[in-house]
Amino acid sequence: MHTASPRDPRALLVNGTVGVGKTTVAGAVGDLLAEAGIPHAVLDLDWLRQSWPALPGDRFHFGMLLRNLRSIAGNYLDAGATRLVLAGVIEQPAERKQLADAVGVDLTVCRLRAELPVIHRRLAHRHDNEPGALRWHLDRSAELDGILSRSAVEDFTVDTTTRSVSDVAASVIRAADWQ
């Protein structure tokens, strides 16, 4: 396998169900890239889709995410970033293509997985004193895990059930061939 040069711009999407650790792992990947001296940006895609109300047929504001990402990715690349680390969710192959088009560079997709009881414990901690939000996230975690298993949009999978964040991040970088 050919190792990508740190000078060749690339993007990595850390994909997975809610509560699996996408944002945390993406941040840790960014830390490892910084330690290696590789110019990069880390983006939580949830913030790029945050708006209300949703357009008809776009429940999770994917169109808004793409519009915002196209501009932001271009800005980071123009400023010298050679790695874009994205934390977010895509459910279908068509969304993968749209996301790749929006970043404008080669896109690798990593799916993080964890056992659902572990994810549910993480979500309970995250949404302590938010019973409505917790219920929605618990339901969505199982639903989305099934969707992602069926659609198989990832290039590789890394399990987060029992491993440390730094170990998972290092595994993601190795599997993405970003060493």
Side-chain angles (χ1 to χ4, degrees):
M1 177 178 255
H2 173 265
T3 301
S5 164
R7 290 188 203 100
D8 298 332
R10 302 274 187 269
L12 170 72
L13 172 67
V14 181
N15 196 33
T17 193
V18 295
V20 76
K22 297 179 298 293
T23 301
T24 301
V25 169
V29 167
D31 292 343
L32 292 174
L33 293 173
E35 288 174 19
I38 298 171
H40 69 280
V42 178
L43 294 165
D44 185 336
L45 298 183
D46 283 346
W47 286 103
L48 301 184
R49 62 171 79 225
Q50 200 94 42
S51 63
W52 185 89
L55 294 173
D58 193 7
R59 176 179 173 198
F60 294 110
H61 307 269
F62 192 68
M64 181 59 68
L65 178 157
L66 293 172
R67 290 177 61 189
N68 289 331
L69 181 59
R70 192 169 283 110
S71 296
I72 292 170
N75 291 339
Y76 281 122
L77 294 168
D78 288 347
T82 60
R83 297 291 181 266
L84 300 177
V85 183
L86 314 172
V89 175
I90 56 170
E91 298 180 11
Q92 303 299 326
E95 291 175 341
R96 178 185 172 136
K97 180 174 179 351
Q98 291 173 299
L99 196 71
D101 290 345
V103 294
V105 296
D106 287 343
L107 175 69
T108 300
V109 178
C110 166
R111 179 178 176 198
L112 298 182
R113 294 274 332 261
E115 296 172 5
L116 281 176
V118 170
I119 289 173
H120 290 178
R121 282 194 299 275
R122 292 175 186 170
L123 290 169
H125 178 72
R126 181 195 302 173
H127 296 288
D128 188 33
N129 296 317
E130 299 176 314
L134 175 59
R135 192 170 25 263
W136 187 90
H137 283 87
L138 291 174
D139 291 344
R140 180 66 174 151
S141 65
E143 173 192 31
L144 186 52
D145 188 60
I147 290 168
L148 294 176
S149 291
R150 288 186 299 277
S151 66
V153 296
E154 69 275 2
D155 295 299
F156 61 91
T157 301
V158 176
D159 191 275
T160 70
T161 302
T162 59
R163 298 166 65 194
S164 71
V165 172
S166 59
D167 183 42
V168 170
S171 293
V172 168
I173 287 175
R174 277 191 306 276
D177 201 21
W178 281 13
Q179 301 153 332

